[in-house]
Amino acid sequence: MNAPSPTRKRPPVKAIEIQGLNRSYEVKGKPDHIALKDVNLTIPQGEVHSLLGPNGAGKTTLCRILSTVLLPTSGSVRVMGHDVAKEHHRVKKCLGVVFGGDRGLYNQLTARQNLNFWASMYELGRAQRRRRVTELLDRVGLAQRADEAVQGFSRGMKQRLHLARGLVSSPAVLILDEPTVGMDPVAARDFRDLVRELRADGHTVLMTTHDMPEAAELSDRVSFIDNGELALTESPDVIGNIVSSQERIDVRGMTDTLRRRAAHIPGVSSVTETEPGLTRIEAEFGEAVRDVLMLVIEAGITDITRSRPSLEEVYLHLIGRRGMTVAQ
Amino acid sequence: MTEHLTKRRLTLLTGFWTGFEFQIVTMRGQAETYFALITAPFFALLYMSIMEYSGRSDLNTHAVIAPMLMTLWTAALSFSGEMISANRENGRLELLLASPTSFPMLVFGRLCACMLLGLPSFAMSYVSAGLAFGYWMPIHHPGVFAGALLLTALATAAAATALSSAFVLTLGARIVQNTLSFPVYLLGGVIVPVSLFPGWLEGISRLVFLSWSADLLRASASPEPVENAGLHFAMLLLLGAASLAFGLLSIVWFLHRARQLGALSKE
């Protein structure tokens, strides 16, 4: 038997590896509240991954466990190969955390003093700290306000400072818990650019968000979580196929006759006028779609748009419409 | 293994210095930090009045030193509680714990910086007694005085670190703060010398580091040689070190428990 080659490369360490994770809380006089139930998730290095789900679904609990401030009830959670329960000191060194909202800063201190403090907390030397803080303030657009007390900052500015705080150690893995809450559209766009830059630099990002377009735009993969259980993990490009085998074709300028003919094509499930002049045809992928397109084009119509269910529709399909009700 | 220990030591030191520097920066811009100082001259005047008008001017040293020790303990109590509860309320506690630096050492470093308030409080007490009663406390043994002051500050910070551990799981710090001020002043012999207590109480008082501090500080103002200085310093060091060890370990234990219970955030 041949001995394994010493030059053989080991498979790259997964950025995040979660196996059979359960987390429950004791509630006096009641059964335990189960926050996470048998969660399995693997995120390779360099991936931007979004976690989607309603309030109380378990997103923040998962982020807290990953950031070592909450222990799992059972199961294994590893960040860059280190166990969050047994090797939390090593995990902390390769992790940056940004929890949502504008809390978490020292309001009486300036933006620079805040970042300086957090850079010390991540064990950066004095010179390195000075350089990194200046660089980050510039990167999040706060260089001009660097020496002003944070208490005068808007919510969006505080959020930017939070992001800078999370990046202070240039972590391999960044956990962002609803990072764009309270940001104005310009700041949110800048944030998306920043996440793209982070991905280009090889960082792994796990982000929780309610913003579906943001998740679709930024993520390599998304996971849906509900009632503490992962419902689905997939790329946003193909995720629509999972909940629907239908493709939708929006056509402007169809006559009633043409609509009736389209409805008779095998594989077409619905033909509806969604607004005056605009017809939506839902048809199975493949031949049905091809036949519909041929019919419309032969009629001389060129205003045609093809689409698949959006991430928001997938979310609603998987999680359901529960209005204002918070998950139990 | 050696490398791991070196790294661990570095993390502990980083925690201490980060806390110390941070507290200095924070205190500079915060008026409420100095509230603890306001009481020092008033207490000095009160105690001086009592000593002078009861014909016990031989105890004037007590009247000048007591307000400084009281300021140190008040500041330590106040900061130790606020440090955990304010960070929890502002959502910073979890972030602090998610960073690699030692949190218990951060707390100890911050509390040590708070102890710098001891110097201005002594100055205010000293000047108040001098201006109002013409008593300018002499310091015949400056080395003993400086050493006792330094060790007292460190021991107070250590004791406050131990207290702060209780606030990890307890949301209300105020009751503890209010309960632990005067009993400690009394048991620490801050105002009334421990040697004047009944025997059984003196025994208990000797477990409170302040009783050794107060003796040393007062002895440094006397022209006679300081008796048993070595024993006093050793006891101060021992009680301070024990408090620190207990404080650091109990914070680690309470944090672990809080991570199990999910009690770190206020949500």
Side-chain angles (χ1 to χ4, degrees), chain A residues 56-311:
Chain A
K59 303 188 296 292
T60 300
T61 301
L62 186 55
C63 289
R64 285 194 170 126
I65 290 173
L66 285 166
S67 54
T68 75
V69 297
L70 187 65
L71 287 171
T73 305
S74 64
S76 149
V77 180
R78 303 183 85 84
V79 176
M80 298 302 286
H82 306 299
D83 189 291
V84 294
K86 294 176 194 142
E87 302 168 282
H88 58 92
H89 192 72
R90 287 175 193 273
V91 171
K92 288 171 184 177
K93 282 185 180 271
C94 49
L95 198 72
V97 187
V98 178
F99 290 129
D102 57 354
R103 294 157 75 237
L105 298 166
Y106 290 94
N107 286 327
Q108 72 275 27
L109 301 185
T110 66
R112 192 186 302 279
Q113 285 170 330
N114 264 284
L115 285 187
N116 242 316
F117 169 69
W118 289 105
S120 300
M121 290 297 287
Y122 280 86
E123 301 175 343
L124 267 65
R126 203 171 285 271
Q128 199 187 359
R129 216 157 66 199
R130 214 179 356 248
R131 198 174 48 243
R132 184 77 181 138
V133 166
T134 306
E135 179 191 310
L136 282 171
L137 284 166
D138 200 37
R139 195 168 185 181
V140 298
L142 289 174
Q144 304 294 318
R145 312 281 297 267
D147 297 308
E148 289 178 29
V150 168
Q151 60 201 0
F153 282 16
S154 68
R155 192 181 163 97
M157 286 163 72
K158 286 181 184 174
Q159 274 296 89
R160 293 187 202 201
L161 191 57
H162 263 306
L163 274 173
R165 194 192 51 70
L167 291 171
V168 85
S169 62
S170 196
V173 179
L174 189 64
I175 309 277
L176 305 172
D177 191 8
E178 298 189 22
T180 49
V181 170
M183 276 190 188
D184 60 56
V186 176
R189 189 197 61 201
D190 292 346
F191 162 77
R192 288 195 282 273
D193 290 341
L194 184 64
V195 173
R196 282 189 206 97
E197 285 172 32
L198 290 172
R199 178 171 42 196
D201 292 346
H203 296 268
T204 307
V205 179
L206 175 67
M207 175 170 80
T208 75
T209 182
H210 287 292
D211 188 333
M212 302 294 151
E214 181 178 272
E217 189 184 334
L218 290 176
S219 314
D220 296 304
R221 287 190 306 156
V222 295
S223 287
F224 293 90
I225 187 168
D226 190 26
N227 279 325
E229 289 180 274
L230 272 193
L232 179 69
T233 296
E234 202 37 273
S235 151
D237 293 337
V238 298
I239 208 155
N241 300 351
I242 293 165
V243 293
S244 170
S245 58
Q246 304 271 306
E247 179 158 346
R248 64 177 60 132
I249 305 155
D250 290 324
V251 185
R252 201 167 282 282
M254 272 181 98
T255 59
D256 285 345
T257 318
L258 213 52
R259 269 198 286 271
R260 273 195 297 276
R261 285 177 62 193
H264 284 100
I265 294 173
V268 170
S269 58
S270 71
V271 178
T272 44
E273 195 171 10
T274 51
E275 59 180 81
L278 184 68
T279 306
R280 171 164 290 179
I281 304 165
E282 294 198 345
E284 280 174 18
F285 296 122
E287 277 187 34
V289 171
R290 193 194 61 203
D291 291 349
V292 169
L293 289 174
M294 281 178 65
L295 173 77
V296 175
I297 290 165
E298 278 169 9
I301 297 171
T302 52
D303 193 348
I304 307 164
T305 312
R306 292 171 64 183
S307 65
R308 288 178 180 172
S310 68
L311 204 53

Side-chain angles (χ1 to χ4, degrees), chain A residues 23 68 103-104 121 126, chain B residues 21 89-90 97 101 259-260:
Chain A
R23 171 71 215 193
T68 75
R103 294 157 75 237
M121 290 297 287
R126 203 171 285 271
Chain B
E21 278 183 343
E89 276 171 27
N90 284 300
L97 295 168
T101 293
R259 286 166 72 215
Q260 278 178 329

Side-chain angles (χ1 to χ4, degrees), chain B residues 89-102:
Chain B
E89 276 171 27
N90 284 300
R92 292 185 298 248
L93 189 58
E94 289 190 323
L95 296 172
L96 289 168
L97 295 168
S99 57
T101 293
S102 160

